[in-house]
Amino acid sequence: MPLETTGRFASVAGLMSGTSVDGLDLVLVSFRGETPRLKESWSVRYPARLRDRLLRCAAGESTAWELGQLHHDLGRWYARQAVRCLANTRVQALGVHGQTVYHHASRGSSATLQIGEASYLAAALGVPVVSNFRAMDLALGGQGAPLATLFHLRAWARRGAHVCVQNLGGIGNVTSLDWRSGSAPRILAFDTGPANMLLDAAMMESSGGVKTYDRDGRCAARGQPIWRLVERWLRADAFLRAHPPKSTGRERYGARAFESMSRDLNRESASLPDRLATLTAFTAATVAENYARHLPGCPDTVVLCGGGARNPVLRIAIQAAIDQRVGHAPVVTSDEWGWPSSTVEGAAFALLARERLLRRPGNLPETTGARRAALCGQVTLP
């Protein structure tokens, strides 16, 4: 494998495993100056047994021994996939987000944990690997999230326009790039609530774990939302009312939240299509409610990325919810803006790895709440 570790890190890979816990996205990014450009990308689903162990861990059901073993097993699996995918490329460094198994942002007691030992990647590829990106932001009083904001800014800020980038992973997050005036865009970024998480949980419950997601929203498309439940859930959700900076995860929208919603749906004798349609409508409404409450105005364009961007039923629901609760803003996918939806988060961590290796800050304190900008990530040398 031809590898380079010198120069200004013009070719960097990013490895992302999101809160949907469905697998990894590996993205190779080239840099011409400060502009990121997509070179190649790969997606690899987790083996069923590995995914089950990760989900158990994220639900707090693993012992310390199991967590320690999983951290190293996942790192070895990452390394095998990276060697296979990057075999015929020239890569100078790699950023690995790791798999989040815990994230809790609270003043004075914040904690986050992404697992997948980076040493295996550094040893296998022979290049510097940057990992553990969130901890320094937390140490400086921030949320440790969102961190993809810098990539959104570099790739999609448009002078004279207000662009919102809405990521739809397990959890949703938005970056508002308001450049309608001034010499630079005003930036606001925060988590919006659930994205794929509740939908995936419903499919797994109904299929006994055989089906992990509703492909293209086909099942949801056959159902009708139960709007009284959607509105009840919105009224009860304190996270929607919380002001940015804010972040969330499975601790709020994981198994416990889904079980409560499932009981509500059972009382309505909801079919699976109606359950999925209702959860889709709620998910879309959380996006729109956050925009209405916290953004500086209706955006000119909303760019969807992440796995949920490939769900046409969710896309239509988000468009309808924004039209109803915020104002008309065309909803498009990142594919239409040059970056396939599955590549954006991986590319973001390739960029963040490059920033760390060039000794430049990776966080934006105005979006995470940190006291200052900081070098984000720990470097593992081969």
Side-chain angles (χ1 to χ4, degrees), residues 61-92:
E61 298 172 358
S62 297
T63 67
W65 291 6
E66 289 169 333
L67 172 60
Q69 186 66 51
L70 182 57
H71 174 59
H72 285 265
D73 288 347
L74 182 60
R76 283 185 281 264
W77 186 81
Y78 281 162
R80 289 194 298 272
Q81 308 315 310
V83 167
R84 180 177 61 83
C85 294
L86 296 170
N88 297 312
T89 68
R90 300 187 69 85
V91 58
Q92 296 172 298

Side-chain angles (χ1 to χ4, degrees), residues 174-189:
V174 64
T175 297
S176 166
L177 303 165
D178 185 3
W179 206 350
R180 292 173 293 184
S181 61
S183 59
R186 290 185 296 167
I187 305 169
L188 183 64

Side-chain angles (χ1 to χ4, degrees), residues 142-153:
Q143 299 271 316
L147 289 183
T149 310
L150 184 61
F151 176 82
H152 299 159
L153 174 64

Side-chain angles (χ1 to χ4, degrees), residues 24-86:
L24 69 87
D25 294 312
L26 181 58
V27 183
L28 186 61
V29 181
S30 65
F31 293 88
R32 182 175 299 174
E34 301 305 317
T35 303
R37 298 180 186 278
L38 176 64
K39 291 183 72 175
E40 293 187 67
S41 66
W42 305 262
S43 293
V44 186
R45 296 193 71 80
Y46 281 138
R49 173 59 180 153
L50 179 58
R51 184 173 193 266
D52 180 65
R53 292 169 66 196
L54 289 167
L55 287 170
R56 288 185 61 250
C57 187
E61 298 172 358
S62 297
T63 67
W65 291 6
E66 289 169 333
L67 172 60
Q69 186 66 51
L70 182 57
H71 174 59
H72 285 265
D73 288 347
L74 182 60
R76 283 185 281 264
W77 186 81
Y78 281 162
R80 289 194 298 272
Q81 308 315 310
V83 167
R84 180 177 61 83
C85 294
L86 296 170

Side-chain angles (χ1 to χ4, degrees), residues 155-284:
W156 291 319
R158 297 289 188 271
R159 187 181 293 273
H162 179 194
V163 176
C164 280
V165 183
Q166 178 69 46
N167 180 57
L168 299 170
I171 293 295
N173 57 72
V174 64
T175 297
S176 166
L177 303 165
D178 185 3
W179 206 350
R180 292 173 293 184
S181 61
S183 59
R186 290 185 296 167
I187 305 169
L188 183 64
F190 54 91
D191 285 357
T192 54
N196 300 316
M197 191 169 286
L198 297 173
L199 307 179
D200 292 350
M203 286 301 293
M204 291 184 67
E205 179 190 59
S206 69
S207 67
V210 174
K211 295 182 179 180
T212 58
Y213 68 106
D214 180 17
R215 183 182 294 274
D216 297 329
R218 294 170 188 169
C219 188
R222 300 197 305 269
Q224 292 295 322
I226 303 172
W227 288 106
R228 57 182 171 275
L229 288 185
V230 173
E231 295 299 332
R232 182 195 305 170
W233 295 339
L234 290 173
R235 289 193 299 270
D237 196 329
F239 182 76
L240 302 183
R241 298 187 293 276
H243 291 280
K246 59 179 181 174
S247 59
T248 191
R250 287 188 176 274
E251 296 70 36
R252 181 180 294 270
Y253 293 108
R256 187 178 302 175
F258 175 71
E259 288 166 6
S260 175
M261 292 175 165
S262 188
R263 286 193 295 270
D264 290 343
L265 289 161
N266 288 342
R267 284 190 285 270
E268 299 284 345
S269 300
S271 65
L272 178 60
D274 287 352
R275 296 168 82 90
L276 285 163
T278 305
L279 292 169
T280 298
F282 172 72
T283 298

